[in-house]
Amino acid sequence: MRILILYSSTDGQTKIISQKIKEHLSTKKEVELFSLNEPFNLNLESFSLIIIGASIRYGKHKKEVYDFIKTNKSILERKKSAFFSVNVVARKIEKNTAETNPYINKFLKISKWKPNKISVFAGKVDYPN
């Protein structure tokens, strides 16, 4: 099984989480990791599972996340897929699940994509930077 992890990170937290997921999965599977912020050329059909992680900045996921999903929606719908959002409000107990997180709900409406698995992780705001 080949797994692809794609991420869009603003301050590096989504990248760190994506790298940890890769480390965990790489013990048993072949896993590739790429940033949606940088150009890449991959045959998405060659992956069994596609995971996308995206951070929130000023209440929104970045445009390149939506662009990638729109461009590749038919492939994503045929494959096993997962999505996770990294946002600060997920630190609140009442907003720390995919069902209760407002950014996940907004993402699903805008993207019109239904991943097989959805999760949310609390992000970090690096105020000094």
Side-chain angles (χ1 to χ4, degrees), residues 13-14 17-18 21 51-56 83-91 95-98 101 104 118-124:
Q13 292 301 306
T14 307
I17 293 167
S18 297
I21 293 170
I51 301 170
I52 299 175
S55 64
I56 288 289
F83 174 78
F84 67 90
S85 179
V86 179
N87 57 75
V88 177
V89 300
R91 74 188 187 289
K95 296 180 181 181
N96 70 358
T97 68
N101 189 272
I104 293 285
I118 305 169
S119 193
V120 62
F121 299 104
K124 172 184 169 185

Side-chain angles (χ1 to χ4, degrees), residues 111-128:
S111 71
K112 298 179 179 133
W113 172 48
K114 295 189 188 221
N116 301 103
K117 299 282 183 185
I118 305 169
S119 193
V120 62
F121 299 104
K124 172 184 169 185
V125 177
D126 189 359
Y127 288 108

